[in-house]
Amino acid sequence: MRAGLPAYTRRVKSQDLLERYRDLLADAGERFAISLGEGGTPLVHARRLGDEMGLRSLHLKFEGMNPTGSFKDRGMVLAVNRAVSAGARAVVCASTGNTSASAAAYAAAAGLPCHVILPAGRVARGKLAQALAAGARLVMIDGNFDEALTAVRRLGEEGAAVVVNSINPHRLAGQQTGAWEVVDTLGRAPHALALPVGNAGNITAYWRGFRRYAEEGRLTADELPRMLGFQAEGAAPIVLGRPVESPETVATAIRIGNPASWVGATTARDESGGVIETVTDEEILDTQRMIIQLEGVFCEPASAAAVAGVRRLAAERRIGPDEVVVCVLTGHGLKDPDAVQADEGTLTPIPPELGAIREAMEL
Ligand code: F0G
């Protein structure tokens, strides 16, 4: 900061994510013009949920608390800062929703046009609203995420715009900060870290992040966690070992049939001694409800897939009761209000009379 400038004129404060991890992320003398206050998300010790699952040390890394409500902001902040430095005229992404919401917000802050290519009819309402509100240019395709990403790769090669999907290496570089924060907050690495797998960038980035901390001497090699990835049963290419042409799941964020970071995900699994398995849509929705009703933490369906998977592994004794387990809740529940499954109460109005209200409350 230049002498004489009041502190509030600085957009990026020293506690902001890219400044906190400058030693691991930045080039010498690099300046970051854009921040929305990403990162620093809560790690909630889930005691009631853990009791239910037979785990004493279960923690939820609530990435829904990022500025646009998902983990995407950790990588988007670096990708957009660097796109600006490189003189980009526009950014573009394919998305199941969250990447587009994040790209739209950071591009707006940078004053850059943002184009998003989306699978028609499969993007959660909240995510669509975010991209629209930020002024992104939406293109809906009569196809799925994989087809949208294929088109975006071509547009990037043609130089029309900078691609800010996770095939942009700055995205995964920034997403390593999730792993670093988990270690910094716990004071150690967990025994196991679970997350949903869609395009497979995040599991790749977390594993890279843990490995990097080991290289830096902030962890020892035998402290590295097992990586547990979960795909929805109808969209499980990595588990099946082949692309899925028409992926289907209620967890639209991970409705992906041919993940870009496939090899990164299997490397994370194999090097860490972890697993990548499936969970059903029913398990996902049931677990989403358990998380909010036992812990007060509202995540979107895709995020609940990780907890559903851990629940299954704990029940099968493949995770021990005293292991330290972290589940990454990748996105906020408010993004997808249509997915909420509630079984109590009624939305049908009754007369505004105390007697009727008492009766409805079953008092
Ligand atoms: N959870 C949420 C909430 C997501 O939005 C995504 C991916 C994932 C998990 C999977 O992460 O792709 O790194 O394996 N969403 C992308 C998008 C595809 O377009 O928003 P991944």
Side-chain angles (χ1 to χ4, degrees):
M1 183 170 59
R2 272 184 290 148
L5 274 179
Y8 59 78
T9 61
R10 278 202 321 162
R11 177 106 191 178
V12 178
K13 295 179 275 315
S14 60
Q15 70 270 29
D16 283 339
L17 188 68
L18 297 182
E19 295 299 333
R20 271 199 287 129
Y21 294 111
R22 165 173 284 280
D23 57 329
L24 300 176
L25 287 175
D27 299 330
E30 187 175 12
R31 296 181 68 82
F32 299 115
I34 300 143
S35 167
L36 299 178
E38 53 288 327
T41 56
L43 187 69
V44 179
H45 185 178
R47 291 187 179 81
R48 274 157 53 78
L49 183 64
D51 275 354
E52 200 67 35
M53 290 166 42
L55 297 175
R56 271 184 276 275
S57 191
L58 175 67
H59 306 263
L60 307 173
K61 179 71 170 158
F62 189 26
E63 291 289 280
M65 294 301 282
N66 276 298
T68 76
S70 87
F71 72 96
K72 305 286 180 182
D73 297 343
R74 292 180 181 279
M76 198 59 74
V77 66
L78 190 58
V80 172
N81 268 292
R82 290 203 167 138
V84 171
S85 306
R89 282 171 298 135
V91 296
V92 64
C93 65
S95 184
T96 57
N98 281 323
T99 297
S100 62
S102 185
Y106 283 87
L112 278 179
C114 174
H115 301 269
V116 304
I117 321 292
L118 304 169
R122 304 303 183 126
V123 177
R125 259 200 298 155
K127 302 173 189 179
L128 207 52
Q130 287 179 287
L132 280 169
R137 301 180 195 172
L138 269 55
V139 177
M140 291 291 177
I141 60 160
D142 196 6
N144 60 33
F145 170 85
D146 305 288
E147 291 164 306
L149 185 59
T150 301
V152 162
R153 282 181 196 271
R154 289 297 304 273
L155 294 169
E157 285 159 14
E158 289 165 12
V162 170
V163 177
V164 293
N165 280 103
S166 56
I167 53 176
N168 176 327
H170 307 308
R171 280 278 314 279
L172 295 195
Q175 282 173 217
Q176 294 178 103
T177 58
W180 299 339
E181 281 184 10
V182 166
V183 175
D184 294 346
T185 308
L186 282 176
R188 52 161 296 163
H191 294 109
L193 182 120
L195 68 192
V197 175
N199 211 24
N202 211 27
I203 191 169
T204 303
Y206 265 79
W207 181 239
R208 255 183 224 166
F210 287 124
R211 294 269 313 251
R212 179 76 194 273
Y213 252 27
E215 280 162 26
E216 297 286 328
R218 301 189 202 196
L219 285 176
T220 61
D222 60 355
E223 286 168 337
L224 289 168
R226 300 201 301 286
M227 302 295 293
L228 312 176
F230 296 95
Q231 301 198 293
E233 200 172 60
I238 297 176
V239 179
L240 294 171
R242 58 173 165 79
V244 173
E245 206 168 307
S246 305
E248 269 316 330
T249 169
V250 66
T252 52
I254 53 172
R255 183 174 168 270
I256 293 175
N258 193 10
S261 297
W262 191 314
V263 174
T266 51
T267 302
R269 175 193 65 195
D270 299 342
E271 288 184 355
S272 74
V275 300
I276 297 179
E277 298 189 359
T278 61
V279 288
T280 65
D281 278 5
E282 199 184 348
E283 286 177 296
I284 287 173
L285 292 176
D286 189 49
T287 307
Q288 181 194 26
R289 190 169 46 212
M290 268 178 87
I291 300 166
I292 173 77
Q293 295 191 357
L294 293 174
E295 297 296 340
V297 176
F298 188 26
C299 68
E300 64 171 284
S303 311
V307 184
V310 164
R311 188 179 166 194
R312 165 116 56 79
L313 296 192
E316 293 171 357
R317 302 264 165 201
R318 294 161 66 200
I319 299 177
D322 291 315
E323 290 199 70
V324 178
V325 181
V326 171
C327 296
V328 183
L329 300 186
T330 46
H332 206 292
L334 288 173
K335 283 174 171 280
D336 194 0
D338 300 321
V340 172
Q341 309 249 311
D343 45 20
E344 296 288 323
T346 169
L347 298 179
T348 310
I350 56 165
E353 291 156 10
L354 190 54
I357 292 170
R358 267 207 204 96
E359 199 175 311
M361 290 170 74
E362 295 175 9
L363 287 179

